[in-house]
Amino acid sequence: MKITDARVIVTSPGRNYVTVKIETTDGVHGVGDGTLNGRELAVASYLEDHLLPLIVGRDPDDIEDIWQMLYKGAYWRRGPVTMAAIAAIDVALWDIKGKVLGTPLWNLLGGRSRTGVLVYSHASGRRLGEAVDKVLELQAQGYKAIRVQCVVPGIEEMYGTPHADGEAEDATLPFVERGWDTASYLRFVPELFRSVRTATGPELQLLHDAHHRLTPIEAAGLGRCLEDIGLFWLEDPVPAEPQAGYRIIRQHTTTPIAVGEVFNTVYDCEQLVREQLIDFLRMSIVHAGGVTHMRKVAAFAEIYQVRLGCHGAADLSPVTMAAAAHFGIATHNVAIQEYAPHPAQANEVFPHEWSVKDGYLTPGDAPGLGVDIDEHLAQQFPYARAYLPISRRTDGTMGSW
Ligand code: EZ4
Ligand code: CO
């Protein structure tokens, strides 16, 4: 079997997605996601101009060899653009292998470790009461784990919450700056979670994303304040470039810590995992080199009792959710999967077998990934440039988003 054609499809059915489609001499094709929110065309060019010409003519069976060739052959290793591009090809090759062998991806990864992957959904509000109501609504729909974000009084527009006009937070054009005030946030979050916990009772798993906004000692204090809530995790309390910074948080609180949605190779989490400074790793198949690299990340983390809770915002396409469903079913130390529903048009452009029911994600029984791209429909949604925002603190200095 040989790869006969490989192309990139950039489409915007409600938001931008970058997809690779690989065709073979057997007539079987595979799809992979390479979406990097706000930097989509960099990945598209990396694929079109540099990687896809290298794989045409190769045997798609040899996934590991192709992965090594793409990773080492660049000379310039790692980075989000490179690793998303490699992931798109890698996932498409796993899809092809499953289809050729007539078996779902989970079966190629060692079979089932569980019957369904626990997911967490997002509840958010502009007021505390609205956030609590949203949590109760999702709990009634069967979700067993819910991430809660709420606008902090005094900060008008902020990460993970609806805007004043009701629209969900997202990448936009033009590029925007949002306000940020750490002191108000730190005062408000414990109050928010006390109200949520009182309303939900003890069993619901609650999560929160600090989105890289705090310093280690601020995060340590917040984690300590939230201990009686029993959070499932506090996510991205501080930016993780200095991995040793997590030691400070760890020394002060038993609130579980999750990090890693922006990581792209195992080297980004090596110290965090080896020193057991975190509890959950958020790396995703699309941003960390595909199934091939994420299998190694998971095996490494398992040795240190670090579990996976992969990133799954709506900017990770339904193709990545399919891969995450198979990976989550097969991989023993996957604890939970983030799930944010995609725009309705995206579900039409990417017809898929995976589904979320009663708070669990299952991949379906189709061979390979069980997801495809409707190329004709995709053409009706041209790429639309959009940027994630950035935050600016009350004193005027630039903050992290
Ligand atoms: O901000 O996917 O936990 N989820 C997140 C996401 C990220 C976006 C960035 O594109 O932090 O909402
Ligand atoms: Co996050």
Side-chain angles (χ1 to χ4, degrees):
M1 187 170 46
K2 293 272 181 278
I3 294 170
T4 51
D5 183 51
R7 58 186 175 277
V8 183
I9 302 144
V10 180
T11 179
S12 191
R15 58 172 318 126
N16 293 317
Y17 295 110
V18 176
T19 309
V20 160
K21 181 168 177 176
I22 298 178
E23 288 178 315
T24 67
T25 44
D26 279 25
V28 171
H29 73 268
V31 291
D33 177 25
T35 308
L36 185 63
N37 198 11
R39 295 292 185 271
E40 298 86 358
L41 298 188
V43 182
S45 160
Y46 196 95
L47 282 160
E48 219 155 59
D49 297 326
H50 303 294
L51 299 193
L52 298 183
L54 287 178
I55 66 166
V56 173
R58 286 178 196 264
D59 187 334
D61 275 349
D62 301 335
I63 299 177
E64 180 70 30
D65 188 64
I66 290 175
W67 194 97
Q68 297 291 344
M69 182 267 296
L70 297 176
Y71 183 78
K72 293 174 176 160
Y75 185 70
W76 313 105
R77 297 183 189 188
R78 306 167 62 186
V81 174
T82 300
M83 299 310 287
I86 293 176
I89 292 173
D90 181 76
V91 170
L93 295 178
W94 281 101
D95 189 23
I96 289 169
K97 191 180 286 298
K99 285 178 176 169
V100 167
L101 297 175
T103 195
L105 174 59
W106 57 257
N107 201 23
L108 302 175
L109 302 177
R112 283 168 292 218
S113 282
R114 56 180 57 81
T115 50
V117 185
L118 178 69
V119 298
Y120 72 92
S121 189
H122 295 176
S124 63
R126 290 195 57 81
R127 307 236 174 291
L128 193 152
E130 192 187 325
V132 173
D133 288 348
K134 186 74 187 164
V135 172
L136 295 176
E137 207 178 289
L138 291 172
Q139 193 180 21
Q141 286 171 26
Y143 286 102
K144 296 170 178 53
I146 299 172
R147 187 191 82 164
V148 191
Q149 309 291 134
C150 185
V151 168
V152 173
I155 306 175
E156 267 308 291
E157 307 279 1
M158 56 178 277
Y159 169 74
T161 61
H163 297 313
D165 63 9
E167 284 291 305
E169 179 268 318
D170 214 340
T172 58
L173 188 68
F175 179 55
V176 291
E177 295 181 3
R178 309 276 190 216
W180 179 250
D181 178 44
T182 300
S184 310
Y185 170 81
L186 290 175
R187 278 196 303 275
F188 179 70
V189 172
E191 183 190 336
L192 168 68
F193 276 91
R194 271 196 294 276
S195 301
V196 171
R197 184 51 93 199
T198 304
T200 62
E203 278 177 34
L204 187 73
Q205 301 286 8
L206 296 173
L207 302 84
H208 181 67
D209 192 344
H211 225 249
H212 327 270
R213 303 294 171 89
L214 305 175
T215 66
I217 204 68
E218 288 165 350
L222 179 62
R224 192 181 274 189
C225 280
L226 294 172
E227 277 172 20
D228 61 333
I229 305 296
L231 282 192
F232 186 87
W233 77 36
L234 175 62
E235 177 185 343
D236 285 338
V238 299
E241 288 98 332
Q243 296 184 31
Y246 277 78
R247 285 189 193 135
I248 298 168
I249 304 173
R250 209 54 160 173
Q251 282 157 3
H252 290 93
T253 180
T254 56
T255 291
I257 302 296
V259 67
E261 67 186 32
V262 303
F263 295 176
N264 48 70
T265 71
V266 72
Y267 306 105
D268 296 327
C269 68
E270 192 272 335
Q271 183 180 11
L272 290 171
V273 171
R274 186 171 39 76
E275 293 188 25
Q276 298 183 307
L277 301 178
I278 58 168
D279 301 280
F280 299 97
L281 193 52
R282 305 258 309 126
M283 290 168 69
S284 72
I285 287 170
V286 54
H287 297 137
V291 170
T292 295
H293 192 62
M294 280 298 289
R295 290 178 82 190
K296 298 171 188 182
V297 168
F300 171 62
E302 187 180 8
I303 296 168
Y304 295 93
Q305 286 190 296
V306 173
R307 295 189 291 159
L308 269 60
C310 301
H311 187 203
D315 48 282
L316 286 71
S317 93
V319 176
T320 284
M321 282 307 287
H326 290 275
F327 184 75
I329 285 289
T331 306
H332 184 73
N333 61 328
V334 165
I336 197 166
Q337 169 65 47
E338 182 178 24
Y339 170 60
H342 295 96
Q345 300 115 314
N347 285 322
E348 287 167 30
V349 168
F350 299 99
H352 55 80
E353 298 286 319
W354 61 264
S355 60
V356 173
K357 223 176 114 197
D358 289 329
Y360 286 91
L361 168 67
T362 48
D365 299 322
L369 287 174
V371 63
D372 213 337
I373 182 165
D374 180 335
E375 287 187 80
H376 185 70
L377 190 58
Q379 276 175 11
Q380 293 176 24
F381 303 104
Y383 168 75
R385 190 153 56 93
Y387 296 95
L388 283 163
I390 190 155
S391 72
R392 203 181 273 282
R393 303 185 196 101
T394 38
D395 73 347
T397 53
M398 200 70 90
S400 300
W401 181 243

